[in-house]
Amino acid sequence: MAYIKGKKRDRHAMTNLNLTPMIDVFTVLVIFLLKNYSATGYVGATAKDLVLPASTSNKQPQAVLTVAVNESYILVEGKEVQTINQADISSQTLLFPQLYNALKKEAQKGLYLEKLSKGANPFKGEMMIQGDKNIPFQLLEKIMYTAGQAGYSTMSLEVMQKGS
């Protein structure tokens, strides 16, 4: 036992740890990290078996409705709408009925959410097409036409930045 000024000191004395300042520091740290990561913008996933074309564009994509197209299928928000075999590319008609129905349903959801939020979250008719670099232009043209007919007037093409 150790003595301090005539008193015995116990080696196993309990010490109190004040957690409030430590919790405050960790809270500030978490908020800082969340703000930093959320400021980087859109983080999207490319559909399976899809090779995007390369581009020198530096514009960051926005979080909007996504239509993915490769040589086998067309996806809307990750759900298969139709196969390319079902979409007759050589026909004279520009509208794909199955794709149109899926896009119209998504547009109605957007308009309903706008109505619920009382205009705070307006439906802008924006979408992004993730098109494989090997798909024919006629297919892309018909998909864009179908999207326009379903209420999506603003379309972007997602590409891979060169050097990535």
mmCIF file of all heavy atoms in Angstrom, residues 17-56:
data_model
loop_
_atom_site.group_PDB
_atom_site.id
_atom_site.type_symbol
_atom_site.label_atom_id
_atom_site.label_comp_id
_atom_site.label_asym_id
_atom_site.label_seq_id
_atom_site.Cartn_x
_atom_site.Cartn_y
_atom_site.Cartn_z
ATOM 1 N N LEU A 17 -15.273 8.130 -15.338
ATOM 2 C CA LEU A 17 -14.970 8.629 -16.670
ATOM 3 C C LEU A 17 -16.185 9.394 -17.166
ATOM 4 O O LEU A 17 -17.289 8.845 -17.248
ATOM 5 C CB LEU A 17 -14.647 7.460 -17.610
ATOM 6 C CG LEU A 17 -14.292 7.799 -19.037
ATOM 7 C CD1 LEU A 17 -12.999 8.625 -19.076
ATOM 8 C CD2 LEU A 17 -14.108 6.542 -19.848
ATOM 9 N N ASN A 18 -16.004 10.648 -17.506
ATOM 10 C CA ASN A 18 -17.095 11.477 -17.980
ATOM 11 C C ASN A 18 -17.261 11.241 -19.482
ATOM 12 O O ASN A 18 -16.420 11.627 -20.280
ATOM 13 C CB ASN A 18 -16.799 12.950 -17.681
ATOM 14 C CG ASN A 18 -18.037 13.790 -17.852
ATOM 15 O OD1 ASN A 18 -19.077 13.306 -18.274
ATOM 16 N ND2 ASN A 18 -17.905 15.073 -17.504
ATOM 17 N N LEU A 19 -18.337 10.577 -19.890
ATOM 18 C CA LEU A 19 -18.566 10.201 -21.288
ATOM 19 C C LEU A 19 -19.190 11.313 -22.121
ATOM 20 O O LEU A 19 -19.103 11.276 -23.343
ATOM 21 C CB LEU A 19 -19.457 8.959 -21.352
ATOM 22 C CG LEU A 19 -18.844 7.663 -20.831
ATOM 23 C CD1 LEU A 19 -19.859 6.547 -20.915
ATOM 24 C CD2 LEU A 19 -17.597 7.315 -21.605
ATOM 25 N N THR A 20 -19.795 12.285 -21.522
ATOM 26 C CA THR A 20 -20.487 13.333 -22.280
ATOM 27 C C THR A 20 -19.575 14.062 -23.263
ATOM 28 O O THR A 20 -19.932 14.183 -24.443
ATOM 29 C CB THR A 20 -21.167 14.326 -21.316
ATOM 30 O OG1 THR A 20 -22.020 13.592 -20.434
ATOM 31 C CG2 THR A 20 -21.983 15.344 -22.081
ATOM 32 N N PRO A 21 -18.406 14.536 -22.863
ATOM 33 C CA PRO A 21 -17.551 15.207 -23.848
ATOM 34 C C PRO A 21 -17.084 14.269 -24.968
ATOM 35 O O PRO A 21 -16.982 14.683 -26.127
ATOM 36 C CB PRO A 21 -16.351 15.693 -23.036
ATOM 37 C CG PRO A 21 -16.789 15.693 -21.619
ATOM 38 C CD PRO A 21 -17.848 14.647 -21.511
ATOM 39 N N MET A 22 -16.853 12.998 -24.632
ATOM 40 C CA MET A 22 -16.416 12.052 -25.651
ATOM 41 C C MET A 22 -17.539 11.797 -26.667
ATOM 42 O O MET A 22 -17.305 11.729 -27.865
ATOM 43 C CB MET A 22 -15.983 10.738 -24.995
ATOM 44 C CG MET A 22 -15.165 9.895 -25.942
ATOM 45 S SD MET A 22 -14.298 8.473 -25.253
ATOM 46 C CE MET A 22 -14.802 8.298 -23.598
ATOM 47 N N ILE A 23 -18.769 11.681 -26.206
ATOM 48 C CA ILE A 23 -19.910 11.495 -27.098
ATOM 49 C C ILE A 23 -20.085 12.718 -27.982
ATOM 50 O O ILE A 23 -20.372 12.606 -29.176
ATOM 51 C CB ILE A 23 -21.187 11.185 -26.283
ATOM 52 C CG1 ILE A 23 -21.071 9.797 -25.647
ATOM 53 C CG2 ILE A 23 -22.427 11.268 -27.163
ATOM 54 C CD1 ILE A 23 -22.173 9.474 -24.662
ATOM 55 N N ASP A 24 -19.904 13.907 -27.429
ATOM 56 C CA ASP A 24 -19.990 15.139 -28.222
ATOM 57 C C ASP A 24 -18.959 15.149 -29.345
ATOM 58 O O ASP A 24 -19.267 15.501 -30.488
ATOM 59 C CB ASP A 24 -19.800 16.370 -27.332
ATOM 60 C CG ASP A 24 -20.980 16.605 -26.395
ATOM 61 O OD1 ASP A 24 -22.045 16.007 -26.629
ATOM 62 O OD2 ASP A 24 -20.805 17.392 -25.447
ATOM 63 N N VAL A 25 -17.746 14.755 -29.050
ATOM 64 C CA VAL A 25 -16.684 14.727 -30.060
ATOM 65 C C VAL A 25 -17.025 13.733 -31.158
ATOM 66 O O VAL A 25 -16.892 14.029 -32.349
ATOM 67 C CB VAL A 25 -15.317 14.394 -29.409
ATOM 68 C CG1 VAL A 25 -14.272 14.079 -30.453
ATOM 69 C CG2 VAL A 25 -14.863 15.550 -28.536
ATOM 70 N N PHE A 26 -17.488 12.540 -30.782
ATOM 71 C CA PHE A 26 -17.834 11.533 -31.792
ATOM 72 C C PHE A 26 -19.036 11.968 -32.632
ATOM 73 O O PHE A 26 -19.081 11.705 -33.827
ATOM 74 C CB PHE A 26 -18.096 10.178 -31.141
ATOM 75 C CG PHE A 26 -16.835 9.441 -30.782
ATOM 76 C CD1 PHE A 26 -16.592 9.071 -29.474
ATOM 77 C CD2 PHE A 26 -15.889 9.129 -31.753
ATOM 78 C CE1 PHE A 26 -15.429 8.402 -29.137
ATOM 79 C CE2 PHE A 26 -14.723 8.465 -31.421
ATOM 80 C CZ PHE A 26 -14.489 8.094 -30.116
ATOM 81 N N THR A 27 -19.985 12.650 -32.030
ATOM 82 C CA THR A 27 -21.132 13.148 -32.783
ATOM 83 C C THR A 27 -20.693 14.159 -33.833
ATOM 84 O O THR A 27 -21.116 14.095 -34.994
ATOM 85 C CB THR A 27 -22.164 13.793 -31.829
ATOM 86 O OG1 THR A 27 -22.552 12.825 -30.861
ATOM 87 C CG2 THR A 27 -23.381 14.288 -32.587
ATOM 88 N N VAL A 28 -19.837 15.087 -33.455
ATOM 89 C CA VAL A 28 -19.321 16.081 -34.401
ATOM 90 C C VAL A 28 -18.529 15.380 -35.510
ATOM 91 O O VAL A 28 -18.653 15.717 -36.693
ATOM 92 C CB VAL A 28 -18.461 17.140 -33.674
ATOM 93 C CG1 VAL A 28 -17.711 18.014 -34.659
ATOM 94 C CG2 VAL A 28 -19.327 17.983 -32.762
ATOM 95 N N LEU A 29 -17.760 14.391 -35.179
ATOM 96 C CA LEU A 29 -16.973 13.646 -36.157
ATOM 97 C C LEU A 29 -17.876 12.911 -37.140
ATOM 98 O O LEU A 29 -17.649 12.951 -38.358
ATOM 99 C CB LEU A 29 -16.048 12.655 -35.435
ATOM 100 C CG LEU A 29 -15.100 11.856 -36.301
ATOM 101 C CD1 LEU A 29 -14.125 12.777 -37.015
ATOM 102 C CD2 LEU A 29 -14.337 10.848 -35.459
ATOM 103 N N VAL A 30 -18.924 12.260 -36.658
ATOM 104 C CA VAL A 30 -19.857 11.543 -37.532
ATOM 105 C C VAL A 30 -20.567 12.516 -38.469
ATOM 106 O O VAL A 30 -20.699 12.261 -39.672
ATOM 107 C CB VAL A 30 -20.873 10.732 -36.695
ATOM 108 C CG1 VAL A 30 -22.029 10.247 -37.552
ATOM 109 C CG2 VAL A 30 -20.179 9.555 -36.034
ATOM 110 N N ILE A 31 -21.022 13.645 -37.950
ATOM 111 C CA ILE A 31 -21.694 14.641 -38.795
ATOM 112 C C ILE A 31 -20.744 15.163 -39.860
ATOM 113 O O ILE A 31 -21.115 15.304 -41.026
ATOM 114 C CB ILE A 31 -22.267 15.786 -37.924
ATOM 115 C CG1 ILE A 31 -23.431 15.260 -37.090
ATOM 116 C CG2 ILE A 31 -22.704 16.967 -38.782
ATOM 117 C CD1 ILE A 31 -23.939 16.217 -36.042
ATOM 118 N N PHE A 32 -19.504 15.430 -39.494
ATOM 119 C CA PHE A 32 -18.509 15.893 -40.458
ATOM 120 C C PHE A 32 -18.307 14.863 -41.569
ATOM 121 O O PHE A 32 -18.293 15.208 -42.757
ATOM 122 C CB PHE A 32 -17.185 16.177 -39.743
ATOM 123 C CG PHE A 32 -16.046 16.470 -40.659
ATOM 124 C CD1 PHE A 32 -15.937 17.697 -41.291
ATOM 125 C CD2 PHE A 32 -15.075 15.512 -40.926
ATOM 126 C CE1 PHE A 32 -14.891 17.972 -42.143
ATOM 127 C CE2 PHE A 32 -14.026 15.761 -41.775
ATOM 128 C CZ PHE A 32 -13.935 17.004 -42.384
ATOM 129 N N LEU A 33 -18.161 13.611 -41.204
ATOM 130 C CA LEU A 33 -17.938 12.565 -42.210
ATOM 131 C C LEU A 33 -19.158 12.385 -43.110
ATOM 132 O O LEU A 33 -19.020 12.221 -44.326
ATOM 133 C CB LEU A 33 -17.568 11.248 -41.530
ATOM 134 C CG LEU A 33 -16.195 11.221 -40.860
ATOM 135 C CD1 LEU A 33 -16.001 9.929 -40.093
ATOM 136 C CD2 LEU A 33 -15.084 11.410 -41.883
ATOM 137 N N LEU A 34 -20.356 12.419 -42.538
ATOM 138 C CA LEU A 34 -21.567 12.291 -43.350
ATOM 139 C C LEU A 34 -21.701 13.443 -44.334
ATOM 140 O O LEU A 34 -22.070 13.246 -45.492
ATOM 141 C CB LEU A 34 -22.802 12.214 -42.456
ATOM 142 C CG LEU A 34 -23.007 10.906 -41.710
ATOM 143 C CD1 LEU A 34 -24.192 11.024 -40.753
ATOM 144 C CD2 LEU A 34 -23.232 9.764 -42.680
ATOM 145 N N LYS A 35 -21.414 14.649 -43.893
ATOM 146 C CA LYS A 35 -21.486 15.811 -44.789
ATOM 147 C C LYS A 35 -20.479 15.680 -45.921
ATOM 148 O O LYS A 35 -20.777 15.995 -47.067
ATOM 149 C CB LYS A 35 -21.231 17.109 -44.012
ATOM 150 C CG LYS A 35 -22.378 17.548 -43.185
ATOM 151 C CD LYS A 35 -23.501 17.987 -44.062
ATOM 152 C CE LYS A 35 -24.211 19.159 -43.473
ATOM 153 N NZ LYS A 35 -25.217 19.674 -44.345
ATOM 154 N N ASN A 36 -19.276 15.235 -45.606
ATOM 155 C CA ASN A 36 -18.245 15.075 -46.635
ATOM 156 C C ASN A 36 -18.640 14.040 -47.672
ATOM 157 O O ASN A 36 -18.483 14.254 -48.864
ATOM 158 C CB ASN A 36 -16.911 14.672 -45.995
ATOM 159 C CG ASN A 36 -15.996 15.839 -45.834
ATOM 160 O OD1 ASN A 36 -16.313 16.950 -46.235
ATOM 161 N ND2 ASN A 36 -14.852 15.591 -45.236
ATOM 162 N N TYR A 37 -19.148 12.905 -47.225
ATOM 163 C CA TYR A 37 -19.499 11.845 -48.167
ATOM 164 C C TYR A 37 -20.747 12.182 -48.955
ATOM 165 O O TYR A 37 -20.867 11.818 -50.118
ATOM 166 C CB TYR A 37 -19.657 10.512 -47.449
ATOM 167 C CG TYR A 37 -18.345 9.899 -47.080
ATOM 168 C CD1 TYR A 37 -18.008 9.689 -45.754
ATOM 169 C CD2 TYR A 37 -17.411 9.555 -48.046
ATOM 170 C CE1 TYR A 37 -16.785 9.149 -45.400
ATOM 171 C CE2 TYR A 37 -16.187 9.020 -47.701
ATOM 172 C CZ TYR A 37 -15.885 8.807 -46.378
ATOM 173 O OH TYR A 37 -14.677 8.278 -46.040
ATOM 174 N N SER A 38 -21.698 12.877 -48.371
ATOM 175 C CA SER A 38 -22.912 13.213 -49.098
ATOM 176 C C SER A 38 -22.673 14.331 -50.104
ATOM 177 O O SER A 38 -23.461 14.506 -51.021
ATOM 178 C CB SER A 38 -24.021 13.612 -48.128
ATOM 179 O OG SER A 38 -23.718 14.841 -47.511
ATOM 180 N N ALA A 39 -21.616 15.077 -49.981
ATOM 181 C CA ALA A 39 -21.336 16.179 -50.905
ATOM 182 C C ALA A 39 -20.705 15.700 -52.207
ATOM 183 O O ALA A 39 -20.556 16.473 -53.138
ATOM 184 C CB ALA A 39 -20.409 17.191 -50.238
ATOM 185 N N THR A 40 -20.353 14.423 -52.292
ATOM 186 C CA THR A 40 -19.689 13.935 -53.498
ATOM 187 C C THR A 40 -20.653 13.695 -54.640
ATOM 188 O O THR A 40 -20.225 13.489 -55.751
ATOM 189 C CB THR A 40 -18.905 12.638 -53.214
ATOM 190 O OG1 THR A 40 -19.814 11.661 -52.726
ATOM 191 C CG2 THR A 40 -17.792 12.888 -52.230
ATOM 192 N N GLY A 41 -21.978 13.690 -54.395
ATOM 193 C CA GLY A 41 -22.939 13.587 -55.476
ATOM 194 C C GLY A 41 -23.485 12.190 -55.671
ATOM 195 O O GLY A 41 -23.559 11.386 -54.764
ATOM 196 N N TYR A 42 -23.839 11.907 -56.914
ATOM 197 C CA TYR A 42 -24.516 10.678 -57.303
ATOM 198 C C TYR A 42 -23.587 9.481 -57.252
ATOM 199 O O TYR A 42 -22.473 9.513 -57.743
ATOM 200 C CB TYR A 42 -25.051 10.872 -58.728
ATOM 201 C CG TYR A 42 -25.611 9.646 -59.375
ATOM 202 C CD1 TYR A 42 -26.882 9.199 -59.060
ATOM 203 C CD2 TYR A 42 -24.879 8.936 -60.311
ATOM 204 C CE1 TYR A 42 -27.412 8.084 -59.672
ATOM 205 C CE2 TYR A 42 -25.409 7.819 -60.925
ATOM 206 C CZ TYR A 42 -26.671 7.402 -60.601
ATOM 207 O OH TYR A 42 -27.195 6.301 -61.204
ATOM 208 N N VAL A 43 -24.072 8.423 -56.646
ATOM 209 C CA VAL A 43 -23.357 7.156 -56.666
ATOM 210 C C VAL A 43 -24.349 6.147 -57.221
ATOM 211 O O VAL A 43 -25.324 5.803 -56.567
ATOM 212 C CB VAL A 43 -22.892 6.724 -55.261
ATOM 213 C CG1 VAL A 43 -22.213 5.377 -55.315
ATOM 214 C CG2 VAL A 43 -21.966 7.765 -54.671
ATOM 215 N N GLY A 44 -24.128 5.717 -58.434
ATOM 216 C CA GLY A 44 -25.054 4.801 -59.069
ATOM 217 C C GLY A 44 -24.407 3.476 -59.389
ATOM 218 O O GLY A 44 -23.196 3.360 -59.465
ATOM 219 N N ALA A 45 -25.238 2.490 -59.574
ATOM 220 C CA ALA A 45 -24.753 1.165 -59.931
ATOM 221 C C ALA A 45 -25.115 0.887 -61.379
ATOM 222 O O ALA A 45 -26.229 1.145 -61.807
ATOM 223 C CB ALA A 45 -25.370 0.127 -59.027
ATOM 224 N N THR A 46 -24.170 0.379 -62.115
ATOM 225 C CA THR A 46 -24.404 0.011 -63.503
ATOM 226 C C THR A 46 -24.991 -1.391 -63.539
ATOM 227 O O THR A 46 -24.586 -2.259 -62.770
ATOM 228 C CB THR A 46 -23.093 0.049 -64.297
ATOM 229 O OG1 THR A 46 -22.510 1.336 -64.132
ATOM 230 C CG2 THR A 46 -23.320 -0.206 -65.763
ATOM 231 N N ALA A 47 -25.945 -1.600 -64.408
ATOM 232 C CA ALA A 47 -26.585 -2.910 -64.523
ATOM 233 C C ALA A 47 -25.564 -3.988 -64.901
ATOM 234 O O ALA A 47 -24.544 -3.715 -65.529
ATOM 235 C CB ALA A 47 -27.694 -2.850 -65.568
ATOM 236 N N LYS A 48 -25.869 -5.205 -64.511
ATOM 237 C CA LYS A 48 -25.011 -6.354 -64.784
ATOM 238 C C LYS A 48 -24.847 -6.540 -66.296
ATOM 239 O O LYS A 48 -25.774 -6.311 -67.061
ATOM 240 C CB LYS A 48 -25.661 -7.593 -64.153
ATOM 241 C CG LYS A 48 -24.900 -8.861 -64.314
ATOM 242 C CD LYS A 48 -25.681 -10.005 -63.678
ATOM 243 C CE LYS A 48 -25.188 -11.313 -64.231
ATOM 244 N NZ LYS A 48 -26.047 -12.411 -63.867
ATOM 245 N N ASP A 49 -23.691 -6.965 -66.719
ATOM 246 C CA ASP A 49 -23.373 -7.237 -68.133
ATOM 247 C C ASP A 49 -23.523 -6.005 -69.020
ATOM 248 O O ASP A 49 -23.929 -6.106 -70.167
ATOM 249 C CB ASP A 49 -24.259 -8.359 -68.692
ATOM 250 C CG ASP A 49 -24.126 -9.648 -67.920
ATOM 251 O OD1 ASP A 49 -23.019 -9.916 -67.415
ATOM 252 O OD2 ASP A 49 -25.115 -10.389 -67.829
ATOM 253 N N LEU A 50 -23.220 -4.833 -68.486
ATOM 254 C CA LEU A 50 -23.380 -3.593 -69.238
ATOM 255 C C LEU A 50 -22.035 -2.885 -69.305
ATOM 256 O O LEU A 50 -21.405 -2.651 -68.278
ATOM 257 C CB LEU A 50 -24.414 -2.703 -68.540
ATOM 258 C CG LEU A 50 -24.880 -1.471 -69.297
ATOM 259 C CD1 LEU A 50 -25.773 -1.880 -70.456
ATOM 260 C CD2 LEU A 50 -25.658 -0.579 -68.380
ATOM 261 N N VAL A 51 -21.594 -2.557 -70.516
ATOM 262 C CA VAL A 51 -20.349 -1.829 -70.713
ATOM 263 C C VAL A 51 -20.709 -0.463 -71.270
ATOM 264 O O VAL A 51 -21.200 -0.349 -72.394
ATOM 265 C CB VAL A 51 -19.406 -2.578 -71.693
ATOM 266 C CG1 VAL A 51 -18.125 -1.795 -71.885
ATOM 267 C CG2 VAL A 51 -19.131 -3.980 -71.193
ATOM 268 N N LEU A 52 -20.495 0.576 -70.453
ATOM 269 C CA LEU A 52 -20.849 1.929 -70.874
ATOM 270 C C LEU A 52 -19.797 2.486 -71.819
ATOM 271 O O LEU A 52 -18.609 2.170 -71.696
ATOM 272 C CB LEU A 52 -20.980 2.840 -69.651
ATOM 273 C CG LEU A 52 -22.089 2.489 -68.668
ATOM 274 C CD1 LEU A 52 -22.009 3.387 -67.447
ATOM 275 C CD2 LEU A 52 -23.444 2.614 -69.314
ATOM 276 N N PRO A 53 -20.204 3.333 -72.769
ATOM 277 C CA PRO A 53 -19.217 3.970 -73.641
ATOM 278 C C PRO A 53 -18.371 4.977 -72.873
ATOM 279 O O PRO A 53 -18.793 5.488 -71.837
ATOM 280 C CB PRO A 53 -20.084 4.670 -74.699
ATOM 281 C CG PRO A 53 -21.437 4.771 -74.113
ATOM 282 C CD PRO A 53 -21.571 3.698 -73.088
ATOM 283 N N ALA A 54 -17.193 5.269 -73.380
ATOM 284 C CA ALA A 54 -16.286 6.221 -72.732
ATOM 285 C C ALA A 54 -16.575 7.633 -73.215
ATOM 286 O O ALA A 54 -17.015 7.849 -74.336
ATOM 287 C CB ALA A 54 -14.842 5.848 -73.036
ATOM 288 N N SER A 55 -16.314 8.611 -72.349
ATOM 289 C CA SER A 55 -16.554 10.010 -72.674
ATOM 290 C C SER A 55 -15.569 10.882 -71.915
ATOM 291 O O SER A 55 -15.014 10.478 -70.907
ATOM 292 C CB SER A 55 -17.983 10.395 -72.277
ATOM 293 O OG SER A 55 -18.174 11.782 -72.416
ATOM 294 N N THR A 56 -15.395 12.105 -72.397
ATOM 295 C CA THR A 56 -14.525 13.061 -71.708
ATOM 296 C C THR A 56 -15.340 14.037 -70.865
ATOM 297 O O THR A 56 -14.795 14.978 -70.314
ATOM 298 C CB THR A 56 -13.688 13.862 -72.729
ATOM 299 O OG1 THR A 56 -14.576 14.510 -73.641
ATOM 300 C CG2 THR A 56 -12.728 12.951 -73.465
#
